[in-house]
Amino acid sequence: MFVGERCSRLGYSTWVGMVHGADDAMARIVGITDHTPNHPSAHFDDFSSQHTNGAHFLMGDGSVARIDDTIDFTVYQGLATRGGGEVVQIP
């Protein structure tokens, strides 16, 4: 995953880069995968959307995929890194 959807219900961000001096400035442009999309315990830097049961992501091959909120957590984190050498398929 290269780019993921994040809605503004947990805080506002910008599409054009980091706002210097803002609280959690880097988290406003870089998301993390410590919770699945739209998780009830989500933090500001987690991926989320206003869509029912999922969020959209731009993948490394240029495709866009909707990932369900119910995705297996290990698979979800595997999609977010290349460091572990994981090979995963989008469910």
Side-chain angles (χ1 to χ4, degrees):
M1 299 185 301
F2 278 145
V3 177
E5 188 174 13
R6 292 196 357 222
C7 71
S8 60
R9 71 174 170 257
L10 295 176
Y12 292 104
S13 294
T14 178
W15 285 92
V16 296
M18 186 168 60
V19 178
H20 295 283
D23 291 340
D24 296 318
M26 194 58 141
R28 293 178 186 275
I29 58 170
V30 178
I32 61 171
T33 57
D34 65 342
H35 294 94
T36 54
N38 299 319
H39 193 278
S41 300
H43 301 125
F44 175 74
D45 49 7
D46 289 317
F47 295 102
S48 60
S49 76
Q50 295 289 354
H51 306 297
T52 304
N53 302 324
H56 294 95
F57 294 84
L58 173 65
M59 308 310 280
D61 65 359
S63 65
V64 174
R66 182 182 178 279
I67 296 181
D68 289 339
D69 299 346
T70 57
I71 187 171
D72 178 83
F73 188 61
T74 304
V75 171
Y76 180 62
Q77 288 193 313
L79 287 167
T81 183
R82 64 183 180 99
E86 300 92 341
V87 177
V88 295
Q89 295 290 322
I90 299 172

